[in-house]
Amino acid sequence: MSLSFEDRSFVRVILRKKLDELFENAFELLFQRIMRERYADFVDVRTHGSLGDIGADGLRLHNRKLYACYGPQTPDPTKIKRKFLDDLEKAITKRGEHFTTFVFVHNDRRDAIHPEVSVLLNQARIDHANLGFEQLGPNHLYRELCRLDRDAIADLLECDFPTIDRLYRVGPSDLEPLLAHLVTNRRSGAIPASAREVPPHKLDYNELGPEDRDDLIQAMRHAPLVEDYYQARTDITERDEVAEGFNAYYRDLRQEYQDPAEMIWKLQEYVTGNARQSREQERAVMVILAYFFETCDVFEEPPTNWRATRNERASA
């Protein structure tokens, strides 16, 4: 039986906690356990004396994928590059006949490993045209877990699924300082003069109710504060990473819910969890949702000809 939306949310939370605690060999072991449970043809590669793991931490026999894990506590671009190149060289030299795809497995919870790795993957594709190259991060592990049954997941994550309502938080910790920023700046009345508006046709297309429409339109007056916040961050990738998380969560919601009001409510939980918040925090959450609504990371963008088609139907 497939997991409910609440179950998947719980798995996301527990996996995140695990990845906060497990590094190096411990991360590798968790990855291997998940893959063994998911795929009958997966074999983990044990180290053997001075040979080490010969550039591999796992193999899939049927699709001939070789997995190399890197799970540092603190990512270092130089060490990432060294690890990637060393594992690839060893794999090709010692196991070249065993695989056709090299998969670099990492524990970066944002699934956005250092840009150096993207460069390395692209260069490897050029240098080794006969091989495929992929990366596998926490979002992929999450999806693999969600394809298992509840008992297997509980065993892998060493947890019990909740039998009663629990207070939990789903969204990334990166949103906490953003929330604080919005609460402070909304209270100070710092509203930009050139406030933007939510596109009315997108509100119509997603069939949002009057109250949710009003909330989003009101919140959009403060949405430029979100852009100001990300413009001031030293990590220039942070906004895109948070947006990707929102989009992935919204896609999960679409599988479980059809009512736009319920999706708004669940997206609010994504930011703050299901514990009751102060009114200031609730307003700040709506500002965040309005911002990502406008940037098309949550809810659907109408097709180009949708308004014309709708008007034609109305006049018929």
Side-chain angles (χ1 to χ4, degrees), residues 210-242:
E211 291 184 354
D212 288 328
R213 290 169 66 102
D214 290 345
D215 287 345
L216 283 170
I217 291 170
Q218 179 68 20
M220 186 55 65
R221 298 171 61 231
H222 301 270
L225 294 173
V226 179
E227 190 66 38
D228 292 343
Y229 171 84
Y230 284 123
Q231 289 291 334
R233 302 295 283 178
T234 55
D235 183 354
I236 61 174
T237 67
E238 182 176 333
R239 196 220 75 91
D240 290 343
E241 291 158 6
V242 172

Side-chain angles (χ1 to χ4, degrees), residues 70-139:
Y70 183 60
Q73 186 164 4
T74 304
D76 180 300
T78 302
K79 291 180 180 179
I80 290 175
K81 181 177 181 179
R82 185 184 307 126
K83 170 70 173 174
F84 180 94
L85 294 176
D86 285 353
D87 281 352
L88 177 58
E89 181 182 0
K90 290 177 184 176
I92 292 173
T93 302
K94 303 293 185 180
R95 296 185 181 274
E97 72 279 12
H98 296 152
F99 74 100
T100 55
T101 302
F102 181 87
V103 185
F104 191 70
V105 183
H106 63 88
N107 66 340
D108 187 334
R109 290 193 305 148
R110 299 173 297 182
D111 259 359
I113 51 179
H114 194 275
E116 181 73 34
V117 175
S118 296
V119 175
L120 291 169
L121 287 169
N122 288 332
Q123 187 60 49
R125 292 185 183 105
I126 295 171
D127 295 340
H128 306 281
N130 61 319
L131 293 176
F133 291 88
E134 300 174 3
Q135 63 161 306
L136 186 156
N139 281 341

Side-chain angles (χ1 to χ4, degrees), residues 23 61 64 70 74 91 132-133 146 150 183 188 225 280 291 298 302 315:
F23 308 103
L61 302 179
R64 296 173 59 80
Y70 183 60
T74 304
F133 291 88
C146 287
R150 291 167 105 251
V183 167
S188 70
L225 294 173
E280 287 294 334
Y291 172 81
V298 296
S315 61

